[in-house]
Amino acid sequence: MDRAATSRTIAQPIQFNTHNSVTTRTIRSRLQWSGMSARHPLLRLPLTGSHRQLRRQWCDKQRKWTTEWNDIVFTDEYRFCLQHHGGWIPL
């Protein structure tokens, strides 16, 4: 069986073959009852103690910035388009 299958994809052939509706919650509870559990892949590496300390030092240093923040552009929220009148385009 596909270990990456979702409860919705597992329910579809069951419903097709038995002509009975099966909820995704039922699928998840039966899998859990049989000893299987959902696991999410690790999306990022956990921070070590030294990583946390270095981040804290960086934040403490940048906390004293006043005019330096005016020179920084944060581009993770909007895409800027300087040719149009609006100035920015939401993603």
Side-chain angles (χ1 to χ4, degrees):
M1 189 175 224
D2 183 14
R3 295 182 62 90
T6 64
S7 56
R8 189 170 292 157
T9 59
I10 293 171
Q12 288 173 350
I14 294 172
Q15 291 175 355
F16 179 77
N17 292 329
T18 63
H19 304 291
N20 292 323
S21 63
V22 179
T23 65
T24 56
R25 179 68 193 144
T26 301
I27 299 292
R28 287 192 300 265
S29 65
R30 295 295 172 122
L31 289 173
Q32 188 176 18
W33 180 77
S34 67
M36 299 180 76
S37 61
R39 294 192 176 121
H40 297 283
L42 183 64
L43 298 177
R44 60 181 173 77
L45 294 174
L47 294 178
T48 64
S50 63
H51 289 141
R52 288 188 187 100
Q53 183 181 10
L54 290 172
R55 281 187 176 202
R56 179 61 187 233
Q57 289 172 359
W58 184 88
C59 291
D60 288 340
K61 190 171 99 176
Q62 269 59 17
R63 188 184 326 174
K64 298 173 185 172
W65 281 11
T66 54
T67 58
E68 290 88 347
W69 286 113
N70 295 331
D71 298 330
I72 297 175
V73 176
F74 294 98
T75 60
D76 60 339
E77 295 181 20
Y78 293 101
R79 181 178 57 201
F80 289 88
C81 184
L82 301 177
Q83 290 82 18
H84 300 297
H85 177 66
W88 57 266
I89 301 170
L91 293 177

